[in-house]
Amino acid sequence: MFKRILVANRGECAIRIIRSCRELGIGTVAIYSEADAHALHVKKADRAVMIGPDPVKSYLNIHRIVNIALEAGCDAVHPGYGFLSENADFAREVGKAGLTYIGPSPDAIEDMGSKIKARAAMIAAGVPVIPGSEFALANVQEAKTMANDMGYPVMLKAAAGGGGRGIRRCDDDEQLRENYEITQREAMAAFGSDELFMEKCIVEPHHIEFQILADTHGNCVHLFERDCSIQRRNQKLIEIAPSQFLTPELREEMGAIAVKAAKAVGYANAGTVEFLVDKDHNFWFMEMNTRLQVEHPITETITGVDLVAEQIRVAAGLPLPFAQKDLSFNGFAIEFRINAEDPKNNFLPTPGTLTRYFSPGGPGVRVDGCVYPGYTIPPHYDSMCAKLTIWGATWPAAVSRALRALNEYDIRGVRTTLPYYRQIAASEDFARGEFHTGFIDEHPELLDYKPYEAREDIAAAVAVAIAAHAGL
Ligand code: ADP
Ligand code: ADP
Ligand code: MG
C-alpha cells in the first residue's frame, strides 16, 4: 500500500480524498495557490506546499506538482475532479516520474476525453450512442445539412467539453447559425479546442449515470445508478440514487452496458458512464467521465462502499474485494450541491466572506464541505462550497429528512443555493420523485423565496419586539 499521496486538488474534493487516506493510514500532501492560503484542505493534510501565486494555473502546473510529489516522498497522486483529473499528459508524467496515478491509464483517459472519440469507441463496442456526428463538424454549412437530415432540435457540443459548458440546443437553422460561433468561442476559451460535434437533442431526458469500478485483474462491476436530472445550465445541482425512473430490469441492462463500455477501453479504477434516457425508457450513451465524480457520495451512501478507498486500493494493484453479485443498495440518497451563487440572479457566483456557518447533523446526514465561519470564498474557483448528502430508508423519508437538514443549515454572508433547495425539497414534483432535465426551467415559482437577509431582518425585528414587550 502507498505511504504518502499527493492530492492534486483543492477544496471539498481534496478534503474528501484526505479523509479516506487517513482512514487507510496513508500520509497526505496538499498543494495550494496563494489565494488558498486559508483553505481548509491546507489545514487538513499532513503537509501542504504552496505552488505559486496564480490561483488557477497553479493547480494545473503539471511539472511543479510532480516535483512536489517527488520531493515530499509521495508514491502516488490523486487528481480528484476538475483541474488535471482528465488530463492524459498529467497521468503520463506522474507515471514517468515513477509515481502511481490514482485513476485509469493515460490511454483510457484519452480515448474517453474527446466526446467524438468516445462515441466512436462506444459504437464499435456495440453500446447504444445518441444519434449524431461521427467526426468533428467542418463548418456551419455541414452542421446545417446534418441538422436537417437528423431533424431539429439538435445539440451543438464541444468535443472537449465538461462542467456543462460548450453545449447549445438549436431548434432551427437560424439558431444553429447563431450558436455555432458562440459555442466554438466558448469551447476555445474553456477547453483550448473549438472542435464541435452534433447530437440529436433528446427531449425531456433523464440524466442517468452508472458508477463503475474496475481493477487491474480484469474485474469490473457497476455500483448502480445516479439520477442527475436536476441541473442548471447543463450542470448538476441535485443528484439522487437510485433513480425512481428505472425498473429493476432496465437497471440491470444499463449496468451491464456500462460495464461493457468500461471493458471496451480497458478501463481500470473508478469511472462513470453517463446516459440520457427518454420518457419511453430508450437510453443512449452520452459520455464517460474517467475520474471520481462530484456526486459520488450518494453511491457511497446507498452501497456502503468507500469509492476513494477503492480507487486507492485498485491503483495499488489490489483486486476488487467484491463481485457484482455481492453488491446491493439500501434506501435513497440525495445530494445537494451548496453553491455560493444566487439562483434568483441566473445562478451568478457570489464569492465573499461567510459571517455564519452552521452545518446540519443527526441521522442520515453527511456534509462534505470546505468552508468555515469567517472564511472568504475566493472568486477564482468553482462556486461549490459544500455538499449535503441525505439518506432515507424510503424516498418520502429521504425527502422529509432533506428538508429538515436544509432547514438546520445556516449560511450567512453570501447568497447560496440553500433557500432555493428548501423550496425544491418542499415541492410536490420533487416529493413525487418526478423530474427530467427541464425541472428547473419548468418551476420558476420555486425561485419565489425570501433570501437569508430577509430572514435575518425578521429575526432581528422579532428580537426587538420581544425586548420592547419585556420592557428591556
Ligand atoms: P461531475 O461530472 O463530477 O458531476 P461537474 O460536471 O460538475 O461534475 O464537474 C466536476 C468539476 O470539474 C467541477 O468543479 C467542474 O467545474 C470541473 N470541470 C469539469 N469538467 C471540466 C473541464 N473540462 N475543464 C475544467 N473544469 C472542469
Ligand atoms: P458535460 O461534459 O459538460 O458533463 P454532457 O455531455 O455530459 O456534458 O452533458 C451535460 C448535460 O447536457 C446533460 O446531462 C443533459 O442535461 C444535457 N445534454 C447533453 N447532450 C444532450 C442531448 N443530446 N440531448 C439533450 N440533452 C443533452
Ligand atoms: Mg457529463
Side-chain angles (χ1 to χ4, degrees), residues 1-13:
M1 188 37 72
F2 305 119
K3 256 188 18 241
R4 198 171 297 134
I5 292 176
L6 180 134
V7 182
N9 214 289
R10 67 178 296 281
E12 69 82 26
C13 179

Side-chain angles (χ1 to χ4, degrees), residues 115 162-164 207 209 234 236 274 286-287 289 291 293:
K115 291 183 185 180
H207 173 119
E209 56 183 37
N234 301 315
K236 303 150 190 169
E274 296 191 338
M286 181 164 61
E287 67 157 340
N289 290 325
R291 55 169 166 86
Q293 204 96 345

Side-chain angles (χ1 to χ4, degrees), residues 186-199:
E186 190 184 14
M188 191 47 134
F191 315 114
S193 152
D194 62 0
E195 216 171 56
L196 300 186
F197 69 106
M198 186 181 289
E199 269 176 11

Side-chain angles (χ1 to χ4, degrees), residues 115 130 155 157 161-165 167 199-202 205 207 231 234 274 276 286-287 437:
K115 291 183 185 180
I130 301 176
M155 285 292 204
K157 297 176 68 168
R165 283 168 304 166
I167 301 175
E199 269 176 11
K200 178 102 192 112
C201 176
I202 310 300
H207 173 119
Q231 313 178 342
N234 301 315
E274 296 191 338
L276 287 184
M286 181 164 61
E287 67 157 340
T437 59

Side-chain angles (χ1 to χ4, degrees), residues 319-384:
L320 286 177
F322 35 66
Q324 192 66 56
K325 64 172 175 26
D326 304 321
L327 293 164
S328 61
F329 59 87
N330 183 24
F332 286 87
I334 313 174
E335 176 188 88
F336 298 87
R337 298 191 189 192
I338 315 291
N339 296 345
E341 55 190 31
D342 186 2
K344 283 174 184 281
N345 192 9
N346 202 18
F347 295 91
L348 205 74
T350 52
T353 301
L354 302 185
T355 53
R356 191 184 302 174
Y357 181 81
F358 181 83
S359 57
V365 174
R366 164 176 172 177
V367 175
D368 290 79
C370 60
V371 297
Y372 49 86
Y375 176 71
T376 300
I377 299 169
H380 324 284
Y381 307 106
D382 199 270
S383 59
M384 195 174 74

